Amino acid sequence: FDFAGRRWMLDQVRTPRYPTGNAAPVRQRFGAEGDLTSNVAADGAFSRVGGQTAVDRVNELMHHPIGFLQAAWATGSEVTEEAPRGGRRLVRVNVAGNKFAMLIDPVTSLPTSIQKITYQPNLGDVTLETEFSDWRDVDGLKLPMRFTQKIGRWVVSDMRLAKATLNGDVPDFGVPAHVR
């Protein structure tokens, strides 16, 4: 994640945990730079992504507490706090019509999750929720090291970070000019 540059890249190996025709692990690389979203093929070729996938990828920075807070402090953002939900504080942010909600543990004051209503082709409008856990101290700042994304009760991804760095050098993602 490069919050200042509004970009992120994910390089993962996805392993199916259910019966499927192809149970082999698959390397996936994709990300976003501003409003440009792309996939990276096995041969290193970049291709642009559009539609709802592009919208969700641009919004991915908001599914991290740092991205949510940056958006909340941005000029023109609307921030409201509503009645607690399930014993947790509920803070909403609206950035030019793009709406997110953060649930906060009242004891630790750490975010427990961020929610966004989005469109899923098979289910229609759904709540995409990113839950945070395994908080660790990183250069004096508490950061979650586990991100679990769900649509309803279904887990979409469960990512565990080995390390995090603040204000580190972020390499060029290598998106070629013709893709930009």
Side-chain angles (χ1 to χ4, degrees), residues 17-31:
R17 294 188 180 184
Y18 51 86
T20 180
N22 181 5
V26 176
R27 183 178 183 196
Q28 297 177 320
R29 294 186 295 163
F30 50 85

Side-chain angles (χ1 to χ4, degrees), residues 122-133:
N122 296 316
L123 301 173
D125 289 341
V126 295
T127 300
L128 176 62
E129 180 173 32
T130 304
E131 297 175 343
F132 311 111
S133 59

Side-chain angles (χ1 to χ4, degrees), residues 11-69:
D11 188 340
Q12 69 181 3
V13 176
R14 189 164 189 146
T15 305
R17 294 188 180 184
Y18 51 86
T20 180
N22 181 5
V26 176
R27 183 178 183 196
Q28 297 177 320
R29 294 186 295 163
F30 50 85
E33 289 191 37
D35 292 333
L36 169 77
T37 57
S38 59
N39 290 336
V40 184
D43 64 0
F46 280 76
S47 61
R48 287 190 81 154
V49 176
Q52 189 63 44
T53 300
V55 171
D56 290 341
R57 287 198 189 158
V58 168
N59 284 333
E60 192 67 32
L61 289 175
M62 292 281 292
H63 283 273
H64 190 288
I66 292 173
F68 185 95
L69 291 173

